[in-house]
Amino acid sequence: MKTLGNIIWVLFGGLEIALQYVLSSLALMVTIVGIPFGLQTLKLGILALWPFGADVRKKPTSGCLNTLMNVVWLLFGGFLIFLHHILLGVVFCITIIGIPFGKQHFKLAEIALTPFGREII
C-alpha cells in the first residue's frame, strides 16, 4: 500500500514539490553560510519525493545550535513553507480519498517548521 501511495503521490504533485526543494537546496548551497540550510531543504525534498512509509523523529542529541538554526530557518522562510504544507493538507483532507495525502503534507509541515535536529527514518 505504501508503494501505491507513493506512486500516486509522485504522479499528482509530489515530484513537483520535490524538485522545488532540490532547486532551492542548490540555490542555498551556492554560499558557504547557506550550506546547512540547503542540506535541510534537501532532506525535505527526499521526504517530499517518497513520503509514505517514512517517519520523522527528533534526534536525541539536538542541542542549542539546532535551536538557533531553527530560529534562523523560521525567520527566513521556514514558516511560509510550513503554512503552505498546512494549507495543502487541509485542502486534501476535504475529501475522504485525499486524507492520506493530507496526512503526508502535515508530516512535511512538521519537518518544515523545525528541520534541524530531526531525522527521516
Side-chain angles (χ1 to χ4, degrees):
M1 190 64 179
K2 290 186 274 188
T3 305
L4 180 62
N6 282 322
I7 291 170
I8 294 170
W9 173 270
V10 168
L11 291 175
F12 292 104
L15 183 62
E16 180 182 339
I17 293 170
L19 285 175
Q20 289 174 357
Y21 278 126
V22 169
L23 291 175
S24 299
S25 176
L26 292 174
L28 284 167
M29 288 188 190
V30 170
T31 65
I32 293 174
V33 175
I35 290 175
F37 300 101
L39 292 174
Q40 298 309 310
T41 55
L42 194 60
K43 183 192 309 184
L44 281 163
I46 292 168
L47 183 62
L49 184 61
W50 212 252
F52 287 91
D55 191 25
V56 178
R57 294 189 186 162
K58 287 187 178 183
K59 290 182 182 176
T61 59
S62 57
C64 63
L65 182 61
N66 286 333
T67 304
L68 177 66
M69 296 297 271
N70 279 328
V71 169
V72 172
W73 172 269
L74 281 172
L75 292 176
F76 290 102
F79 189 70
L80 293 175
I81 298 169
F82 167 76
L83 287 178
H84 185 251
H85 283 297
I86 291 293
L87 177 69
L88 287 172
V90 168
V91 168
F92 273 108
C93 285
I94 290 174
T95 64
I96 293 173
I97 296 172
I99 290 174
F101 301 103
K103 285 183 178 181
Q104 298 310 313
H105 275 291
F106 292 140
K107 184 189 330 181
L108 284 166
E110 176 188 359
I111 194 170
L113 189 61
T114 55
F116 290 92
R118 296 186 184 259
E119 62 183 348
I120 299 170
I121 298 173

